Amino acid sequence: MITDDIKINVTAGHGGKGSVAFQGVKKSLGPTGGSGGAGGNAVLMGVSDLTALNQLRGMGETVVEDGNDGQPQFHDGRAGKDLILNVPVGTVIHNLDTGEKQEIIKVDERVVVAKGGKGGRGNFLFRSSRNTSPEQFQPGLPGEEVHLRLELKFIADVGLIGYPNVGKSSLLNELTRANSKVANYHFTTLEPNLGVYYELILADIPGLIEGASEGRGLGIKFLRHIERTKVLFHLVSAEAEDPAKDYRAIRKELAAHNKEMLKKPEYIFLSKSDMLTKSAVKEKISKLEKISKQKNSTIKSVMPLTIYDDNDVKKVEKILNLLKEEKEEKGADPVKDA
Ligand SMILES: Nc1nc2c(ncn2[C@@H]2O[C@H](COP(=O)(O)OP(=O)(O)OP(=O)(O)O)[C@@H](O)[C@H]2O)c(=O)[nH]1
Ligand SMILES: [Mg+2]
């Protein structure tokens, strides 16, 4: 199971205390107390492992290492070690205390989520012409405490959507080296799968059904993973009695999740077209084409598709190649574009 939504509480390290010490026995020989080290920070770091949040589950209250206290002889305390927590790229960090949101988009990108407390000054730093043997010092400051929700939203370029059993996973496997489970029943895919076509990332999500937004089937929580994709590949089975009706039903669920989803360019595939005669395919395609001619339609193309015909698969690859070029030209970032 991929963990894609968790809460964690982290407290950064406490700053070390400043030291009070003097040269030799006599105070008059001057202060030498070093300062305390800063407390360690809590840092989130982007990694490519999509299951990285699994490791953060059940970590409870986590406290980062404190800074060491200052020592005599001008020795400052060592700073506490930062705690680095790996999160998958595409993780949105919600600060539950402030309501702030931040995203980790790149591998190795680091975000300090809780800053360690400052170390206190030792008495050496309190010396002055008026007070040559100060007894003052500062205690270190406490580290920041944060309550975070970490929500993974895949950074995919293409989202595969449709009813269950329409061949989404089969297509993903055909186009990429993904090994998404395929079977002839509904809800074979229980959690999202990603595949890579050159530099494009394709996301295959569990099938949607009418009422998914009200919790039917597997629900629509997976839609967040394709919220930021540039385009949608919408598969409607040739076996559907009324493909236009199926198409609209899925669009309704998309809208229920987020109306912005309806603005994405869409490529429609009448999947499993090998199951029908040529004329029946034509008829169903024309029904879908009618929709594509409506005002405000974001449909780019409608085509029949069977994964058993190499030519069909090549046509899909052609679309992907165009998207790939577009992405290269723009240096497009699917996240920023969304
Ligand atoms: N005849 C035919 N069958 C296909 C085609 N593509 C997929 N299938 C079959 O359709 C069934 C469902 O395929 P999946 O790829 O698991 O469908 P899915 O849309 O991912 O289904 P869920 O994960 O349940 O949403 C499997 O038995 C596939 O072998 C096709 O082009 N033609
Ligand atoms: Mg599937």
Side-chain angles (χ1 to χ4, degrees):
M1 276 288 281
I2 294 182
T3 302
D4 55 10
D5 199 344
I6 54 164
K7 287 185 180 157
I8 62 168
N9 300 329
V10 198
T11 307
H14 202 290
K17 189 167 74 186
S19 151
V20 177
F22 296 94
Q23 194 72 268
V25 213
K26 278 193 207 147
K27 281 188 183 177
S28 57
L29 289 176
T32 71
S35 300
N41 302 308
V43 180
L44 300 187
M45 184 175 85
V47 295
S48 58
D49 175 11
L50 290 175
T51 66
L53 290 183
N54 291 13
Q55 272 97 60
L56 306 187
R57 259 198 352 218
M59 68 177 214
E61 293 281 338
T62 303
V63 180
V64 186
E65 195 178 87
D66 292 339
N68 285 353
D69 292 344
Q71 300 296 322
Q73 284 305 327
F74 317 106
H75 288 306
D76 290 340
R78 188 174 58 76
K81 243 197 235 142
D82 286 353
L83 173 71
I84 311 242
L85 301 171
N86 292 343
V87 302
V89 287
T91 297
V92 181
I93 309 162
H94 301 267
N95 186 321
L96 298 176
D97 307 307
T98 64
E100 265 172 290
K101 257 204 293 190
Q102 237 180 322
E103 292 175 55
I104 293 205
I105 290 163
K106 294 197 185 103
V107 169
D108 282 338
E109 185 178 342
R110 289 162 194 242
V111 171
V112 175
V113 288
K115 232 177 140 18
K118 273 198 182 141
R121 281 185 284 171
N123 69 338
F124 173 68
L125 292 180
F126 284 96
R127 74 195 187 287
S128 66
S129 52
R130 263 189 268 156
N131 187 358
T132 52
S133 43
E135 304 247 5
Q136 289 115 301
F137 72 99
Q138 289 174 319
L141 296 177
E144 249 181 302
E145 184 185 345
V146 289
H147 302 89
L148 305 175
R149 172 174 166 225
L150 305 178
E151 185 193 17
L152 175 61
K153 293 185 176 186
F154 290 166
I155 301 179
D157 299 288
V158 180
L160 297 174
I161 54 166
Y163 267 92
N165 213 29
V166 297
K168 299 181 295 299
S169 303
S170 305
L171 181 61
L172 180 81
N173 292 347
E174 204 61 43
L175 296 169
T176 72
R177 294 163 127 206
N179 196 7
S180 193
K181 191 176 164 197
V182 167
N184 193 14
Y185 52 81
H186 286 196
F187 303 123
T188 305
T189 303
L190 295 172
E191 55 182 52
N193 289 295
L194 294 187
V196 181
Y197 180 86
Y198 298 93
E199 54 266 43
L200 292 180
I201 299 174
L202 281 58
D204 163 36
I205 62 167
L208 298 165
I209 55 172
E210 224 178 319
S213 51
E214 283 131 41
R216 283 188 62 206
L218 296 175
I220 54 165
K221 59 179 183 286
F222 306 103
L223 283 179
R224 70 156 166 261
H225 292 307
I226 56 163
E227 216 169 83
R228 307 197 286 188
T229 60
K230 260 184 99 59
V231 304
L232 298 174
F233 280 8
H234 189 155
L235 277 65
V236 182
S237 172
E239 291 175 305
E241 236 159 75
D242 183 350
K245 185 169 160 245
D246 281 22
Y247 169 81
R248 285 199 198 94
I250 297 293
R251 297 283 289 176
K252 207 171 146 206
E253 300 308 318
L254 292 184
H257 174 70
N258 180 347
K259 286 222 162 55
E260 292 295 308
M261 303 276 300
L262 299 183
K263 294 185 188 158
K264 291 183 196 290
E266 229 186 358
Y267 293 84
I268 315 257
F269 300 99
L270 187 72
S271 62
K272 301 193 187 180
S273 61
D274 53 291
M275 304 288 282
L276 300 184
T277 61
K278 271 202 173 128
S279 64
V281 167
K282 232 176 168 178
E283 193 195 314
K284 291 193 169 167
I285 286 285
S286 73
K287 279 191 176 166
L288 291 167
E289 275 175 342
K290 244 189 208 158
I291 301 179
S292 75
K293 289 191 182 112
Q294 282 168 3
K295 224 175 90 190
N296 297 336
S297 162
T298 55
I299 299 174
K300 292 281 191 186
S301 73
V302 180
M303 63 172 262
L305 169 69
T306 164
I307 57 165
Y308 301 121
D309 184 339
D310 280 349
N311 283 326
D312 280 9
V313 176
K314 277 198 189 117
K315 281 186 200 157
V316 186
E317 286 174 344
K318 229 174 166 177
I319 297 173
L320 289 176
N321 289 336
L322 282 175
L323 294 172
K324 184 164 77 72
E325 279 165 30
E326 247 173 55
K327 185 177 176 180
E328 282 162 359
E329 264 169 37
K330 279 197 210 157
D333 180 339
V335 179
K336 284 191 197 122
D337 288 356

